[in-house]
């Protein structure tokens, strides 16, 4: 429904056959099951006080938010993967799996998902940071002495590797559908921010690209890295690689702040172009969704809004389960 005040800046992510949205008090994932039913995973937010404080510190809040999103997003991605695998099982086999695994999230499961999420994030960032350095050094080490030009070529190589990787994985049917749900997520947020009633017809009118997307953040890290690295000199490959690792948190922090700025300025005619490189990258990481996929995204968003309102009026969340699986097959 049309908003009477400035909308909250909601965010989300695509999962297997579904979408997760994060509210002020809860994260909700909606997944389309094989029989057409939409089921949910609902996880109330229970952030530690020190995490909340860190999120208020410029530069540092970006790193905290990225790691936190990776951890929480992994739980929802894992749920969607389990739901997808569950739909592929015969009824008898499904009952056997339930008897073996039980239901709900144990402490060991939560710790395991958290560890995998953090390690995956760190591994991906380190590889994408160091591999372009090695490739650029191998190809252009003795071609010239201008370190800024070396850094610029390093950024170009990083971008080429990133684009090639995204294009390659987007050719697989499952990732293509994931990118369609990514587009559905963006469309729902844009429609909500415009005050539209959330129906598939209304939502489909909006672009699948959005300024606050994590894809835009990735593009900004490439651009910021070129200029930040140029402030420091190096004498050899190992020193150059060490600088990249030490400066990685700074690059992430600055990129996060710039992403917030570009989003705030997207309605200013000239300054809106600051966010265009990130939008171009989203041409690869999003695809046009079907009406059925948009319907799932809307269901997730509406359920998140509903629970957010309930939790906002509650005195505490102590009586709410940590994770609520769908009652049918969760």
């Amino acid at each position: 429904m049309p908003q009477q005040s400035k909308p909250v800046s909601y965010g989300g992510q695509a999962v297997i056959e579904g979408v997760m949205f994060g509210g002020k008090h809860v994260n909700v994932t909606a997944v389309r099951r094989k029989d057409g039913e939409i089921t949910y995973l609902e996880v109330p937010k229970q952030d530690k006080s020190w995490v909340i404080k860190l999120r208020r510190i410029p530069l540092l809040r970006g790193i905290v938010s990225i790691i936190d999103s990776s951890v929480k997003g992994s739980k929802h991605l894992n749920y969607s993967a389990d739901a997808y695998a569950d739909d592929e099982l015969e009824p008898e086999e499904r009952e056997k799996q339930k008897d073996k695994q039980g239901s709900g999230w144990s402490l060991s499961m939560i710790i395991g998902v958290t560890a995998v999420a953090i390690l995956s994030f760190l591994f991906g960032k380190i590889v994408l940071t160091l591999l372009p350095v090695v490739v650029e050094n191998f190809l252009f080490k003795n071609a010239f002495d201008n370190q800024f030009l070396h850094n610029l070529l390093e950024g170009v190589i990083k971008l080429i590797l990133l684009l090639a990787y995204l294009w390659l994985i987007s050719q697989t049917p499952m990732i293509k559908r994931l990118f369609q749900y990514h587009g559905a997520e963006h469309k729902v947020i844009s429609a909500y921010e415009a005050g539209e009633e959330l129906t598939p017809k209304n939502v489909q009118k909006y672009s699948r690209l959005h300024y606050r997307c994590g894809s835009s953040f990735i593009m900004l890290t490439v651009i910021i890295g070129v200029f930040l690295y140029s402030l420091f000199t190096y004498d050899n490959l190992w020193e150059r690689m060490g600088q990249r690792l030490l400066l990685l948190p700074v690059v992430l922090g600055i990129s996060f702040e710039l992403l917030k700025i570009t989003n705030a300025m997207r309605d200013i005619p000239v300054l809106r172009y600051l966010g265009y490189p990130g939008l171009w990258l989203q041409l690869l990481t999003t695809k046009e969704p079907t009406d059925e996929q948009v319907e799932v995204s809307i269901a997730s968003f509406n359920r998140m809004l509903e629970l957010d309102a309930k939790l906002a009026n509650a005195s505490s969340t102590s009586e709410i389960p940590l994770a609520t699986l769908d009652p049918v097959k969760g």
Side-chain angles (χ1 to χ4, degrees), residues 49-178:
S49 59
W50 61 269
V51 174
I52 297 176
K53 292 178 180 178
L54 289 178
R55 281 187 181 149
R56 297 170 181 167
I57 303 175
L59 295 181
L60 188 57
R61 62 187 174 188
I63 301 171
V64 174
S65 296
I66 293 165
I67 295 177
D68 186 55
S69 297
S70 298
V71 171
K72 292 177 179 176
S74 292
K75 180 183 293 186
H76 290 261
L77 186 60
N78 187 70
Y79 167 71
S80 68
D82 286 345
Y84 183 84
D86 181 74
D87 281 342
E88 298 302 312
L89 296 176
E90 295 296 330
E92 297 79 7
E93 186 64 26
R94 183 179 297 121
E95 290 302 319
K96 291 180 181 179
Q97 292 291 336
K98 286 185 178 181
D99 291 339
K100 289 180 181 180
Q101 298 175 1
S103 61
W105 285 78
S106 66
L107 178 61
S108 61
M109 290 172 66
I110 294 172
I111 294 175
V113 169
T114 300
V116 169
I118 294 176
L119 290 175
S120 298
F121 168 76
L122 292 177
F123 178 77
K125 291 306 299 179
I126 290 174
V127 169
L128 192 60
T129 297
L130 296 184
L131 183 58
V133 176
V134 176
V135 173
E136 196 282 332
N137 184 78
F138 176 77
L139 295 176
F140 303 104
K141 178 181 180 180
N142 300 316
F144 43 81
D145 296 326
N146 189 311
Q147 289 194 349
F148 177 79
L149 187 54
H150 279 292
N151 294 335
L152 183 59
L153 286 172
E154 176 189 333
V156 171
I157 292 171
K158 181 182 295 185
L159 184 58
I160 291 174
L161 291 174
L162 176 64
L163 295 177
Y165 169 74
L166 291 174
W167 179 85
L168 185 63
I169 65 173
S170 69
Q171 302 308 300
T172 63
M174 180 172 287
I175 298 300
K176 181 179 179 180
R177 288 188 62 81
L178 185 72

